[in-house]
Amino acid sequence: MRALLDIFSDVSPAVGRLDLLTPPVAEAVTAGWGGVPAESVVFVDTDPGIADTAVFAEHYGPELLDASANCVVVAGKRGGETTLAACVVLSRARVDVNGVVRKHLGTRKASFAAMDVAVGETGMEYGGITPIGLPAAWPLLVDPAVVDQEWVLIGSGRRRGKLIVPGKALAALPGAVVLQGLGV
């Protein structure tokens, strides 16, 4: 984690920066999960204007694409039913929505959820959605490449700031399923 921390100037334990997290993320960080103590979650204060992956990597360096992950909300539809799920892949990859995700959800169609749905259902800001603090009933699909990272940089629930967590901690989140081929 030292190399990841060295990139940023404002780094502190997330439990000390709960005021900068959305309520669902702050609650999840405080409670911990799956044996992951709250103290192992680190908050990095960053400029919300560079929160998007491409701009963030351009500012801090392209090596972050291998040490950071994106969390996207997808909607699977079958008949009149919609299933929301979250997918986490390394930032250099894209989510196989119409293949792996659709098959896993057992839906006829899958696509990225509309922004207002993603924001409204998660209680997080678009561009900062994180797997930590998502609705517990949602499937959380995680690519093995993310879990294999010793430390991974993810959203904080807001565009301002990021979290650094052990990769394996994401596999311990409620509803998490490590799914081969999720990131392509």
Side-chain angles (χ1 to χ4, degrees):
M1 178 166 61
R2 174 71 11 223
L4 199 52
L5 292 178
D6 290 343
I7 295 171
F8 305 101
S9 59
D10 189 349
V11 178
S12 56
V15 293
R17 303 302 294 271
L18 297 176
D19 59 316
L20 295 177
L21 304 175
T22 59
V25 177
E27 290 169 19
V29 166
T30 301
W33 65 91
V36 176
E39 298 76 33
S40 68
V41 181
V42 175
F43 179 82
V44 178
D45 200 2
T46 58
D47 177 356
I50 61 170
D52 295 325
T53 302
V55 179
F56 196 81
E58 184 178 312
H59 182 82
Y60 287 107
E63 64 277 1
L64 279 181
L65 295 175
D66 290 319
S68 63
N70 289 328
C71 180
V72 297
V73 178
V74 297
K77 296 179 182 177
R78 183 172 195 78
E81 299 294 315
T82 299
T83 301
L84 295 175
C87 302
V88 183
V89 299
L90 288 178
S91 295
R92 65 174 156 70
R94 62 180 177 78
V95 176
D96 184 3
V97 175
N98 286 307
V100 172
V101 173
R102 182 185 57 76
K103 289 176 187 168
H104 181 81
L105 295 177
T107 59
R108 283 186 16 92
K109 181 181 176 187
S111 59
F112 294 107
M115 181 171 55
D116 62 326
V117 171
V119 169
E121 295 292 328
T122 63
M124 300 178 201
E125 294 177 3
Y126 198 76
I129 293 175
T130 183
I132 299 171
L134 289 171
W138 283 17
L140 172 59
L141 312 179
V142 184
D143 190 81
V146 175
V147 177
D148 290 343
Q149 296 296 313
E150 183 177 5
W151 296 95
V152 64
L153 183 77
I154 58 175
S156 68
R158 296 193 191 275
R159 291 183 60 83
R160 175 184 178 183
K162 303 286 183 186
L163 298 175
I164 300 174
V165 299
K168 65 182 178 193
L170 300 180
L173 284 165
V177 175
V178 178
L179 195 56
Q180 191 67 43
L182 179 64
V184 292

